[in-house]
Amino acid sequence: MKIALIQTEIKDYDIDLNFQCIKFLLSRVEKDVDLVVLPEMFLTGFVTETSLAKESGEKGLVLMREFANTNNIAIEGSLLIEEDGKYYNRHYFVTKQEEVFYDKIHLFSLSKEATILTKGKEKDVIINYKGFRIKLLTCYDLRFVSCSNNAYKEGSFLYDMLVYVACWPESRKEQWKTLLQARAIENQAYVIGVNRQGEDSERKLYSGDSCIVNSKGEFLTQITNWENTIIYHNIDKEELDGSRNKFPVYLDWE
């Protein structure tokens, strides 16, 4: 599976500017890609201004659906969403055939997110796509092992790939990279982390460090610059299966 990671600067509160930036980057994506991954809250930045939720949801989903339908490429990323008078940080996975979402379970209590947004209820949102079982998670979820636990039963794994979309600050970049590696190793799965870069409205810096990690905890690719960037990598299910079977830790999972 060929994956494109899009790491971009997000301007807090400026939906129109972010929309145009993401739309331009999507127009540059190579046509043989299978999956595109965008950062957390890619149209608004990590904000809790509920007045933006309706426009964020409408414009974000139009953008994702049009891209998926036109190119027959899956796309995922999170949006600030309003539904039935409640607000969610919703991680969407959109293809030409289907649309699935995961509502962030671990809301960040050091911000207003935990008091304004509604916590998700379903932990294991998993999509079957191109021979991979893909699990969706968001940013702060990375710190909680129970949220990412893989499982093995009757010859099959709960998931093969774990995807985190994030707004993770530069001041904790080493924790970001270390935890992504840990999740890959302990769950014997590919882990993808896509983060924003640049500066937010509170002058907080984001270095991105978007990457793909294999089941042995090795970085297959990572973005180290502070520019709007698209990076590509092919992941292989047979390679993953071979690594799992060579060192079958999964047989001792409880």
Side-chain angles (χ1 to χ4, degrees):
M1 182 191 298
K2 185 174 180 178
I3 300 174
L5 312 184
I6 294 185
Q7 180 175 294
T8 181
E9 183 172 10
I10 300 170
K11 294 297 183 182
D12 287 357
Y13 306 103
D14 197 334
I15 290 177
D16 289 337
L17 181 62
N18 295 325
F19 180 93
Q20 293 303 323
C21 179
I22 295 292
K23 185 176 182 180
F24 171 75
L25 290 167
L26 289 174
S27 74
R28 311 270 296 185
V29 169
E30 295 173 1
K31 298 305 179 184
D32 62 341
V33 162
D34 298 297
L35 171 63
V36 173
V37 188
L38 302 172
E40 179 183 21
M41 289 190 169
F42 62 83
L43 283 190
T44 59
F46 186 67
V47 301
T48 52
E49 180 52 64
T50 56
S51 63
L52 299 175
K54 186 174 186 294
E55 185 180 6
S56 166
E58 290 175 352
K59 287 191 173 181
L61 284 172
V62 165
L63 185 65
M64 297 176 83
R65 288 164 179 163
E66 287 185 351
F67 177 81
N69 289 332
T70 301
N71 300 283
N72 197 23
I73 296 172
I75 181 170
E76 64 180 297
S78 95
L79 296 162
L80 178 62
I81 292 288
E82 178 183 2
E83 183 179 82
D84 299 328
K86 296 181 179 179
Y87 302 93
Y88 299 89
N89 184 344
R90 183 164 288 178
H91 181 166
Y92 282 95
F93 188 100
V94 180
T95 71
K96 193 172 185 178
Q97 293 77 30
E98 66 175 342
E99 188 173 297
V100 180
F101 65 81
Y102 159 77
D103 288 330
K104 187 177 180 183
I105 287 179
H106 293 97
L107 301 179
F108 191 48
S109 61
L110 299 179
S111 74
K112 293 181 180 179
E113 185 187 40
T115 58
I116 294 176
L117 304 191
T118 298
K119 177 180 178 179
K121 296 180 180 179
E122 187 174 353
K123 184 183 77 168
D124 293 322
V125 176
I126 296 168
I127 299 100
N128 288 299
Y129 180 70
K130 301 279 185 176
F132 285 84
R133 291 176 60 77
I134 304 171
K135 179 177 168 72
L136 312 184
L137 289 173
T138 303
C139 200
Y140 194 43
D141 289 328
L142 179 59
R143 289 185 174 273
F144 302 90
V145 176
S146 61
C147 205
S148 63
N149 284 341
N150 205 347
Y152 178 78
K153 186 176 181 180
E154 297 178 354
S156 71
F157 290 83
L158 180 63
Y159 66 83
D160 307 300
M161 184 197 311
L162 188 56
V163 182
Y164 292 93
V165 298
C167 288
W168 193 286
E170 191 268 345
S171 60
R172 295 188 285 276
K173 64 181 292 183
E174 294 306 321
Q175 296 167 33
W176 162 256
K177 292 188 288 185
T178 300
L179 289 169
L180 290 171
Q181 289 177 295
R183 298 295 165 263
I185 294 166
E186 68 197 8
N187 293 297
Q188 293 199 289
Y190 286 109
V191 172
I192 295 173
V194 176
N195 191 24
R196 70 188 282 183
Q197 58 90 11
E199 185 178 84
D200 69 11
S201 57
E202 297 180 353
R203 308 294 296 274
K204 187 181 296 180
L205 297 177
Y206 298 82
S207 56
D209 301 294
S210 302
C211 59
I212 299 177
V213 185
N214 69 14
S215 62
K216 294 181 284 188
E218 299 166 336
F219 288 102
L220 300 178
T221 188
Q222 53 185 320
I223 302 174
T224 57
N225 62 49
W226 286 53
E227 298 176 356
N228 291 353
T229 304
I230 307 172
I231 194 167
Y232 303 91
H233 193 82
N234 283 290
I235 62 171
D236 190 310
K237 182 62 163 52
E238 289 186 4
E239 182 179 334
L240 173 62
D241 290 339
S243 178
R244 285 168 162 172
N245 293 330
K246 188 175 181 179
F247 191 59
V249 177
Y250 59 85
L251 296 176
D252 297 316
W253 288 344
E254 295 180 358

